[in-house]
Amino acid sequence: MFGCGSSQDILFIPACLLLTKSNPVLEAFGNAKTVRNDNSSRFGKFVEIQFDKYGRISGAAIRTYLLEKSRVCQISDPERNYHCFYLLCASPPEEKEKYKLGDPRSFHYLNQSSCYELAGVNAAQEYLSTKRAMDIVGISQEEQDAIFRVIAAILHLGNIKFEKSEEETDSSVLADKDSKFHLETTAELLMCDSNAVEVALCKRVMITPEEIIERSLDPVAATVSRDGLAKTLYSRLFDWLVQKINLSIGQDSNSKCLIGVLDIYGFESFQTNSFEQFCINFTNEKLQQHFNQHVFKMEQEEYTKEAIDWSYLEFVDNQDVLDLIEKKPGGIIALLDEACMFPKSTHETFSTKLYQTFKDHKRFIKPKLARSDFTVVHYAGVVQYQSEHFIDKNKDYVVPEHQVMLSTSKCSFVSGLFPPLSEETAKSAKFSSIGSRFKLQLQHLMEALNLTEPHYIRCVKPNTLLKPGIFENMNVMHQLRSGGVLEAVRIKCAGFPTHRTFHEFLTRVGILAPEILRGNFEEKESCKMILEKIGLTGYQIGQTKLFLRAGHMAELDARRAYMLSNSATIIQKHTRTHFSQKRYTTLRKSSLFLQSICRGELARRQYYHMKRKAAAIKIQAYTRGRIARKCYSEMKTSVVVLQSGFQAMAARRARDKFRHIRQTRSSTIIQSYWRRHKALVDYQNLKKASIISQSVNHSNDEQEQKVMEISVENESTAMEESSNSLREESSSSFQDNERIEAIKDFSSPIIDAERNEAIRDCSSPHRDTESNENIRDFSSPLGDTEKIEALSAEIKTLKFMLQEEKQKTDEYERKYVEAQGSSEELRKKLTETEKRVYQLQDSLNRMISSMSSQVAELKTILSTSSRLSSTFRPIARVDVASSNSDSSSTDSDFTFPAPVANSEALSSTQLVVQDVTAAEGSGSGSEKEASGETTKKVREKDEGCIG
């Protein structure tokens, strides 16, 4: 696990990892939010990354410059103090209880500004990240606990307030109980005696040759002493962190090459500029001088060394500003150190001394309306400084009382920050100027930079709102001008911004003239020939380098890129052609192979399907044959059965016919014998009668005549009854056709039977001949012949009457058929008449509804007009409900004649149509009943006509 603190474990941790993980620690304790940046470094940092002979990172070192200690005690809105104070206040509850911390708003060193949180930053997570980074860089848990105890002690120290003592003059005591609590908490965290802490803050010891004098401090001096103790604690803690990180990373004393990264604050100009801004801008003046020397002076030196024809480049040199600030014995820093030596010096006396010394300096300006301010014209702009706290902030020494109190702490970490000093060291270190020490640090930094080849990175902020997507032109231009970028661009463009050795130039641009490279020319001559071929002018050729004007290299690069693009296009064309041909050949082979496989597969599938089809056809043929044979067998069986049935039926019919013929023949024979017997009996009777009594012949003849008349009357009566029944049935055929057909079927066989029998009896010649023969055979000379003739005549008469009856029957049948046709036509006419009646009713109803609506509108109009004019006679309103009133006096009732089949129906039947407005629910029912009655009457009349 990383970060146990021992040197053996640290060796296994790569230096690059330790260097990377040290950034969160240094940012937490050395960065703060300013007006322009949420994470601004309030100290200068120079990181040396050391490499071994294999080019691997072998060590690193971090050097810091001018930590802004005054920020611990004084901050302005909306800035913040260092991040570590807010991270500790956001620590877990158990740690806050351990350090007796609370909300940042409750501490004086933090509540001077209204900004306590940063947007998008979680202080609790950042606190844990910082602790993990401290573990990795080798800071143990005990050391971390001591570090956060010191941070918490500084916060509690800022809440200690003083007031004047009532017992002694010019002395101070604690203001209230809260101050007492914070004093005791500070002593507890620092593991010091609370009384010793109070004495160190409120007392001072003056050592004279004669005696040691102890004097009290007033509340203002005690507050200054408190703030001085807080700044000293924080400064020593930060220096310890840097030293601990350097020890953890380790340095390679045998390293021959290094990369230095200088991360330092930029030029600052605020509304209130104090000693910190003065030192920061002094640092930027030094760096700008180094930039000028490297970029401009070295540029001109190179021109001279290469012996080219050039003109002197003018640039703004800031050496006079540096002399104004750091020159001895007349610079601003020297005068500030001199003022710090005198106890009675104030910022006003210091400002007066500056006015007198630099009244003729062109870089120093005295403001007209300020008594202690002074203005310095820097390379980046004019900055006005307020000198109120210059003297206090320039003094960098530890109060002996604070040194003694902290060195006796029971916490080894705190006592280690303030080791005891010897008397000689204490006397020599009584006063130390921050300005002088910072100037010495800058001198060492410049020496280190001069030993390296510098590369400059200018950081430009797009806006002051700290938001993305916003670009402020004036702000960016000010930063570029302040950083000397615009001046560098101007000077570079005025000279020869591009320097290339002959070899580098030929290597890069020789592609533009390959024939020159193939020739045996010197490098200088080859460069000249290439430039002449291209047609560039204004360049200079030195001893070892080629100097090009602004834009020359861009043009050469454009030509080179164009040629490379064309060459690349040709190469790509041939390469793509080759690959395309290769791909085409491969694809063609693959496609042929796949096609052969596919064709084989398709042929196999086609053969398989053909085979299945042939098999299916064969199966179908066999199946259809079997089905056909089965159907044939069934049909044959059925036909045989039917034939046997029909043959049996025909045989039965033939048998019945033969039987009927035999029966008919037998009956004929029987009838003939019967008639012969009857005739013989009759003849014998007649013969006996004629013999017995001749006298009664006439009476017998009359009796026979009567018998014949009775029989004829009976036959005529039957014919009349049949004709009457036919007439009655023909008259009622209009009502029931089926009934008429039944009567016809029933009467016709009776008439046919009687007619056939009469014809058979009367017209059969065989029978007549037989009877005549019999009569002749048995006739007697007493008058049988006359009787037979009389009977024959009578039979002829009956035949004639029967013939007339048949004609009458045919005539009746013809009339019946005609009556039936006429009844059908009348029925059709009746149906059409009913349809027309219904249509007429519908049209009359629609007309009546429209007329009723018109009548209602007319009534409304008339009623309105009657209201307007009193001279008009009022029109009586038709009562809708009184539909039974007199039809002649109402507007809602209309009568129309209903169409009927004859004149009687037309005269008797009337169709009454009532007004729709008067009927409402009952009108439809009455109309249906009226139409039904009318239809019934029409049908009755039609039937009467047919009858």
Side-chain angles (χ1 to χ4, degrees):
M1 183 175 179
F2 295 140
C4 61
S6 64
S7 60
Q8 293 180 354
D9 293 334
I10 293 173
L11 292 176
F12 292 97
I13 303 175
C16 59
L17 179 61
L18 293 173
L19 186 64
T20 303
K21 292 300 179 181
S22 66
N23 284 331
V25 180
L26 294 179
E27 287 181 359
F29 290 88
N31 290 20
K33 180 189 181 305
T34 60
V35 178
R36 297 179 179 175
N37 194 355
D38 287 348
N39 192 29
S40 176
S41 298
R42 307 318 299 162
F43 67 100
K45 179 173 65 173
F46 182 70
V47 181
E48 290 184 359
I49 303 174
Q50 301 164 353
F51 296 87
D52 57 12
K53 60 181 180 179
Y54 300 106
R56 296 175 300 190
I57 297 177
S58 58
I62 299 176
R63 297 190 182 93
T64 59
Y65 304 95
L66 190 64
L67 177 69
E68 189 181 357
K69 295 187 294 183
S70 61
R71 182 172 291 272
V72 177
C73 305
Q74 298 174 356
I75 55 175
S76 57
D77 198 20
E79 296 185 352
R80 291 205 324 169
N81 213 319
Y82 290 104
H83 296 325
C84 59
F85 295 110
Y86 303 94
L87 299 183
L88 188 60
C89 290
S91 60
E94 58 274 9
E95 296 193 15
K96 287 197 290 186
E97 184 180 357
K98 176 181 178 181
Y99 302 127
K100 298 181 181 180
L101 297 176
D103 190 77
R105 296 171 178 80
S106 61
F107 296 102
H108 173 66
Y109 286 162
L110 303 182
N111 60 18
Q112 299 175 29
S113 172
S114 60
C115 181
Y116 299 98
E117 296 178 354
L118 297 178
V121 177
N122 190 337
Q125 293 183 359
E126 291 294 326
Y127 173 77
L128 299 177
S129 300
T130 303
K131 292 198 70 174
R132 286 194 295 269
M134 295 171 76
D135 291 336
I136 293 174
V137 298
I139 300 176
S140 62
Q141 291 295 330
E142 293 79 8
E143 291 172 339
Q144 292 180 29
D145 180 66
I147 290 170
F148 291 120
R149 289 170 70 90
V150 172
I151 297 297
I154 292 173
L155 291 177
H156 287 289
L157 187 64
N159 284 1
I160 300 175
K161 298 179 182 179
F162 301 96
E163 62 181 9
K164 287 186 178 181
S165 176
E166 298 177 357
E167 299 177 356
E168 298 181 7
T169 308
D170 296 335
S171 62
S172 60
V173 295
L174 297 176
D176 49 22
K177 294 182 179 180
D178 291 339
S179 300
K180 182 70 173 177
F181 168 76
H182 288 295
L183 178 67
E184 293 176 353
T185 304
T186 302
E188 180 182 353
L189 292 172
L190 296 176
M191 294 186 180
C192 298
D193 185 26
S194 59
N195 294 328
V197 174
E198 184 178 2
V199 170
L201 294 177
C202 300
K203 304 290 183 181
R204 285 291 181 270
V205 176
M206 300 180 63
I207 300 176
T208 61
E210 293 81 10
E211 58 180 349
I212 298 176
I213 301 174
E214 183 181 273
R215 68 182 182 88
S216 300
L217 300 177
D218 58 1
V220 177
T223 303
V224 172
S225 176
R226 178 201 68 188
D227 294 340
L229 177 59
K231 291 189 287 186
T232 302
L233 273 172
Y234 196 81
S235 177
R236 293 290 180 91
L237 175 62
F238 186 78
D239 293 340
W240 183 89
L241 284 172
V242 174
Q243 184 181 3
K244 183 67 175 179
I245 290 171
N246 286 331
L247 291 175
S248 299
I249 296 174
Q251 300 185 29
D252 185 6
S253 58
N254 299 323
S255 176
K256 299 297 182 183
C257 56
L258 59 89
I259 294 177
V261 180
L262 178 64
D263 180 14
I264 203 165
Y265 19 63
F267 187 83
E268 292 184 354
S269 179
F270 304 122
Q271 292 182 354
T272 301
N273 299 292
S274 187
F275 182 70
E276 291 81 11
Q277 282 70 41
F278 179 78
C279 294
I280 289 171
N281 293 338
F282 172 49
T283 304
N284 282 274
E285 289 285 353
K286 273 286 188 182
L287 294 175
Q288 182 64 26
Q289 184 189 38
H290 181 267
F291 178 75
N292 293 339
Q293 289 177 355
H294 178 74
V295 175
F296 307 137
K297 292 182 180 180
M298 293 180 65
E299 184 86 4
Q300 294 175 0
E301 290 177 359
E302 188 172 6
Y303 293 165
T304 305
K305 178 182 177 182
E306 291 291 330
I308 64 173
D309 186 11
W310 64 283
S311 59
Y312 183 76
L313 301 176
E314 294 184 357
F315 61 92
V316 179
D317 192 0
N318 63 341
Q319 184 61 46
D320 52 352
V321 181
L322 293 175
D323 293 339
L324 173 66
I325 296 174
E326 65 177 353
K327 187 178 180 181
K328 285 186 177 182
I332 295 177
I333 294 177
L335 294 177
L336 181 61
D337 292 342
E338 183 181 348
C340 291
M341 291 291 189
F342 298 98
K344 295 184 179 181
S345 295
T346 62
H347 62 280
E348 294 180 350
T349 59
F350 168 66
S351 298
T352 304
K353 184 69 173 178
L354 293 179
Y355 300 154
Q356 294 174 357
T357 305
F358 304 112
K359 60 181 179 178
D360 297 330
H361 201 285
K362 63 180 181 179
R363 296 283 189 169
F364 186 88
I365 300 173
K366 177 185 177 183
K368 294 181 180 180
L369 301 178
R371 298 178 59 185
S372 60
D373 296 353
F374 64 93
T375 302
V376 177
V377 182
H378 292 282
Y379 78 97
V382 179
V383 181
Q384 182 175 345
Y385 297 99
Q386 288 74 34
S387 62
E388 280 81 359
H389 301 288
F390 266 57
I391 295 176
D392 295 335
K393 292 180 179 180
N394 189 45
K395 296 178 180 179
D396 186 23
Y397 63 91
V398 180
V399 178
E401 288 78 8
H402 299 169
Q403 175 75 29
V404 173
M405 184 263 297
L406 294 173
S407 62
T408 57
S409 172
K410 296 179 181 179
C411 178
S412 59
F413 180 81
V414 176
S415 61
L417 295 178
F418 296 91
L421 303 176
S422 60
E423 294 182 359
E424 296 180 358
T425 306
K427 290 180 181 180
S428 62
K430 185 68 177 177
F431 170 73
S432 176
S433 170
I434 292 179
S436 298
R437 185 155 58 88
F438 185 66
K439 184 175 70 173
L440 183 61
Q441 288 179 342
L442 282 180
Q443 183 178 354
H444 294 320
L445 177 62
M446 292 300 109
E447 291 175 357
L449 294 179
N450 291 328
L451 296 176
T452 60
E453 181 182 357
H455 298 272
Y456 296 91
I457 300 174
R458 298 291 184 181
C459 298
V460 179
K461 292 180 62 178
N463 60 79
T464 57
L465 301 176
L466 307 179
K467 293 182 179 180
I470 302 175
F471 194 85
E472 298 176 356
N473 296 338
M474 297 301 297
N475 185 25
V476 172
M477 290 298 294
H478 175 71
Q479 294 180 65
L480 294 176
R481 188 177 292 107
S482 301
V485 177
L486 299 180
E487 183 69 13
V489 171
R490 184 188 67 81
I491 294 174
K492 275 285 188 181
C493 292
F496 299 93
T498 304
H499 310 163
R500 291 288 185 274
T501 62
F502 298 140
H503 180 72
E504 291 176 353
F505 183 79
L506 290 175
T507 302
R508 184 171 183 81
V509 191
I511 190 175
L512 299 178
E515 67 278 1
I516 297 175
L517 293 179
R518 287 192 292 268
N520 255 342
F521 302 104
E522 294 183 357
E523 291 182 345
K524 185 175 182 179
E525 189 67 20
S526 299
C527 293
K528 185 177 181 181
M529 292 171 66
I530 291 174
L531 292 172
E532 289 176 354
K533 178 182 177 181
I534 296 173
L536 294 180
T537 58
Y539 59 88
Q540 293 287 336
I541 299 178
Q543 300 295 332
T544 60
K545 292 183 179 181
L546 184 66
F547 296 86
L548 301 177
R549 292 283 185 181
H552 285 178
M553 201 63 199
E555 183 177 355
L556 292 173
D557 287 339
R559 289 173 177 264
R560 178 175 176 271
Y562 179 73
M563 181 169 287
L564 288 175
S565 178
N566 290 339
S567 302
T569 302
I570 294 171
I571 294 171
Q572 287 175 358
K573 178 181 69 174
H574 289 287
T575 305
R576 286 172 181 168
T577 302
H578 172 71
F579 282 115
S580 298
Q581 290 176 350
K582 187 176 180 181
R583 184 183 177 190
Y584 171 74
T585 304
T586 306
L587 287 176
R588 188 171 181 275
K589 291 180 180 179
S590 302
S591 62
L592 290 175
F593 180 70
L594 289 175
Q595 287 175 1
S596 64
I597 294 174
C598 293
R599 289 194 185 102
E601 182 64 24
L602 290 175
R604 284 189 291 272
R605 289 185 180 181
Q606 187 177 4
Y607 173 73
Y608 174 73
H609 289 302
M610 291 174 65
K611 192 174 179 181
R612 283 177 61 88
K613 185 177 181 181
I617 292 172
K618 189 176 291 187
I619 293 171
Q620 289 175 0
Y622 283 113
T623 305
R624 286 171 183 161
R626 182 174 177 276
I627 293 173
R629 284 190 296 273
K630 185 177 180 181
C631 292
Y632 174 75
S633 300
E634 292 177 355
M635 189 179 296
K636 184 178 179 182
T637 304
S638 301
V639 168
V640 170
V641 173
L642 289 174
Q643 286 178 354
S644 62
F646 285 129
Q647 289 174 359
M649 186 172 63
R652 283 191 295 272
R653 285 183 179 179
R655 185 193 61 187
D656 293 338
K657 185 177 181 182
F658 179 73
R659 186 179 295 171
H660 176 69
I661 291 171
R662 288 181 64 186
Q663 289 177 357
T664 304
R665 187 179 299 166
S666 299
S667 64
T668 303
I669 294 170
I670 293 170
Q671 288 175 2
S672 64
Y673 279 106
W674 168 254
R675 286 175 185 149
R676 181 180 177 185
H677 173 69
K678 185 177 180 182
L680 181 59
V681 171
D682 291 337
Y683 173 74
Q684 289 176 357
N685 291 328
L686 286 174
K687 187 177 180 180
K688 286 176 181 183
S690 63
I691 293 171
I692 295 172
S693 182
Q694 289 289 334
S695 61
V696 292
N697 287 336
H698 183 69
S699 61
N700 290 335
D701 292 337
E702 289 179 358
Q703 290 179 359
E704 291 177 1
Q705 185 68 27
K706 288 180 181 180
V707 171
M708 292 298 293
E709 287 178 0
I710 291 169
S711 63
V712 171
E713 286 177 2
N714 291 332
E715 289 179 359
S716 62
T717 303
M719 293 297 293
E720 288 177 0
E721 289 178 358
S722 63
S723 63
N724 290 330
S725 64
L726 288 173
R727 192 178 295 114
E728 289 174 359
E729 289 174 1
S730 63
S731 64
S732 63
S733 61
F734 184 77
Q735 297 177 358
D736 195 358
N737 292 329
E738 293 180 356
R739 192 172 166 189
I740 292 170
E741 294 293 330
I743 293 170
K744 182 181 177 181
D745 295 335
F746 177 73
S747 62
S748 59
I750 297 172
I751 295 170
D752 292 339
E754 291 178 353
R755 185 178 56 190
N756 292 331
E757 185 177 357
I759 290 168
R760 192 184 308 114
D761 295 336
C762 298
S763 63
S764 177
H766 179 69
R767 186 177 303 168
D768 292 340
T769 55
E770 288 180 355
S771 61
N772 290 330
E773 289 177 355
N774 294 326
I775 291 171
R776 271 194 307 266
D777 293 336
F778 296 100
S779 64
S780 62
L782 295 178
D784 293 335
T785 305
E786 288 86 4
K787 291 181 180 179
I788 293 171
E789 289 177 356
L791 291 172
S792 298
E794 192 173 359
I795 290 170
K796 288 180 181 179
T797 304
L798 291 173
K799 285 183 180 180
F800 178 74
M801 292 175 63
L802 180 63
Q803 189 69 26
E804 286 180 354
E805 292 296 330
K806 284 180 65 178
Q807 291 177 359
K808 288 180 181 180
T809 303
D810 295 334
E811 185 68 21
Y812 288 146
E813 288 178 357
R814 184 180 60 77
K815 289 182 179 180
Y816 168 75
V817 173
E818 291 177 357
Q820 189 176 6
S822 62
S823 65
E824 289 294 332
E825 291 177 357
L826 290 174
R827 185 179 297 173
K828 291 180 181 179
K829 289 181 181 180
L830 178 62
T831 306
E832 291 177 358
T833 304
E834 288 178 355
K835 290 183 180 179
R836 290 178 183 179
V837 168
Y838 292 150
Q839 291 177 359
L840 183 59
Q841 288 179 357
D842 293 336
S843 61
L844 287 175
N845 290 332
R846 287 195 297 269
M847 185 176 66
I848 289 169
S849 64
S850 63
M851 290 177 65
S852 64
S853 62
Q854 291 177 2
V855 169
E857 291 177 357
L858 182 60
K859 290 177 182 178
T860 305
I861 294 170
L862 293 176
S863 62
T864 305
S865 63
S866 65
R867 293 191 195 97
L868 296 176
S869 177
S870 62
T871 61
F872 294 160
R873 184 178 63 182
I875 299 175
R877 177 178 175 271
V878 178
D879 192 2
V880 177
S882 63
S883 62
N884 296 323
S885 63
D886 189 5
S887 62
S888 62
S889 60
T890 58
D891 297 332
S892 60
D893 294 338
F894 300 90
T895 60
F896 296 92
V900 294
N902 50 23
S903 61
E904 294 178 0
L906 291 173
S907 61
S908 62
T909 306
Q910 291 184 350
L911 177 64
V912 180
V913 183
Q914 294 182 354
D915 189 3
V916 178
T917 58
E920 291 182 352
S922 63
S924 61
S926 62
E927 289 175 0
K928 290 180 180 179
E929 291 175 359
S931 62
E933 292 175 358
T934 304
T935 304
K936 186 175 181 181
K937 290 178 180 180
V938 171
R939 286 181 177 176
E940 289 176 357
K941 293 294 182 180
D942 291 339
E943 290 174 359
C945 292
I946 294 169

